[in-house]
Amino acid sequence: DAGVIQSPRHEVTEMGQEVTLRCKPISGHNSLFWYRQTMMRGLELLIYFNNNVPIDDSGMPEDRFSAKMPNASFSTLKIQPSEPRDSAVYFCASSSLQGVGQFFGPGTRLTVL
Amino acid sequence: RKEVEQDPGPFNVPEGATVAFNCTYSNSASQSFFWYRQDCRKEPKLLMSVYSSGNEDGRFTAQLNRASQYISLLIRDSKLSDSATYLCVVTLPNDYKLSFGAGTTVTVRA
């Protein structure tokens, strides 16, 4: 049974470039979450979707960040333009019901030079 | 005040020892509680849910104290493979969002 799938696993880019991270949630899960993790700030929720609709994007740092979920099996997180302070591990997670926890993908390790 | 607070550790224990640590949460309305485990450079993985009456999963025991607003995790007969960061997680009623603690690092030595 496939878990949450993320791509790419590693991304190195230069400041100012556009970065697109991809996520495929577990089949049947109706909630999807994007997180960012750094040593300094820990795990931060950026945005979450329920039934493909963005419910809470208050964690999105600024307008350079955008996220979409065009269907139940795919979501993207885009950073344009990227900055060195965006360097972090970005996790996607999905869940099926409230109160049952979330399942995380392996993450995308982003380095912006 | 942070929503979820944990002692960062590290807790350094020998194999076979018992280690226990707590996590406090600030919102008395918190409804669901979990422990996640995160290995170095890996994703967080759900270790166990925490139920009001307390629960065990093998060598792991979780407890919830609503009156004092804390949850605990106890690991018996520690294995080298238990070395990880343990994240305390709480949710509010009717809310999908998870509030994560910063994690407690456990290192089990041979």
Side-chain angles (χ1 to χ4, degrees):
Chain A
D1 190 19
V4 176
I5 298 171
Q6 290 187 247
S7 65
R9 296 290 304 276
H10 300 272
E11 177 81 28
V12 180
T13 191
E14 292 188 344
M15 183 173 64
Q17 297 297 305
E18 177 178 296
V19 174
T20 299
L21 311 181
R22 297 173 177 79
C23 174
K24 176 179 169 56
I26 293 171
S27 178
H29 282 191
N30 61 350
S31 292
L32 182 142
F33 306 79
W34 282 101
Y35 291 88
R36 176 171 70 177
Q37 187 174 38
T38 61
M39 288 291 291
M40 291 296 293
R41 300 171 70 94
L43 201 57
E44 303 174 279
L45 176 66
L46 300 177
I47 185 171
Y48 83 94
F49 295 84
N50 190 36
N51 294 322
N52 312 339
V53 176
I55 302 300
D56 184 348
D57 65 355
S58 59
M60 295 286 262
E62 48 198 271
D63 291 346
R64 297 185 298 107
F65 286 69
S66 62
K68 294 182 180 179
M69 192 165 185
N71 57 62
S73 59
F74 183 65
S75 176
T76 59
L77 177 68
K78 186 177 292 187
I79 309 173
Q80 165 64 11
S82 58
E83 296 182 3
R85 62 193 167 117
D86 301 330
S87 298
V89 181
Y90 291 80
F91 289 108
C92 176
S94 69
S95 70
S96 58
L97 292 170
Q98 286 177 322
V100 297
Q102 296 171 12
F103 296 88
F104 283 72
T108 295
R109 187 169 297 274
L110 174 65
T111 302
V112 183
L113 302 174
Chain B
R1 184 182 173 188
K2 291 183 180 178
E3 289 185 58
V4 182
E5 299 208 49
Q6 295 184 248
D7 181 345
F11 288 76
N12 295 309
V13 299
E15 265 189 297
T18 295
V19 60
F21 41 89
N22 294 339
C23 152
T24 58
Y25 58 94
S26 60
N27 193 329
S28 59
S30 297
Q31 182 174 64
S32 300
F33 307 88
F34 308 92
W35 284 104
Y36 277 70
R37 157 196 182 127
Q38 187 171 24
D39 294 292
C40 187
R41 300 178 75 84
K42 298 286 189 179
E43 73 272 24
K45 291 185 177 178
L46 179 62
L47 179 65
M48 60 195 298
S49 301
V50 186
Y51 302 121
S52 297
S53 55
N55 47 297
E56 278 189 19
D57 184 358
R59 298 179 293 105
F60 296 82
T61 300
Q63 296 279 354
L64 167 64
N65 185 316
R66 285 192 182 274
S68 300
Q69 294 183 206
Y70 74 85
I71 66 173
S72 63
L73 183 67
L74 182 146
I75 307 173
R76 286 187 303 277
D77 188 22
S78 302
K79 312 292 185 190
L80 295 176
S81 58
D82 294 334
S83 297
T85 296
Y86 291 85
L87 302 168
C88 173
V89 180
V90 305
T91 70
L92 292 172
N94 302 315
D95 194 347
Y96 282 89
K97 289 196 293 186
L98 304 183
S99 294
F100 283 84
T104 296
T105 299
V106 173
T107 303
V108 182
R109 62 183 188 275

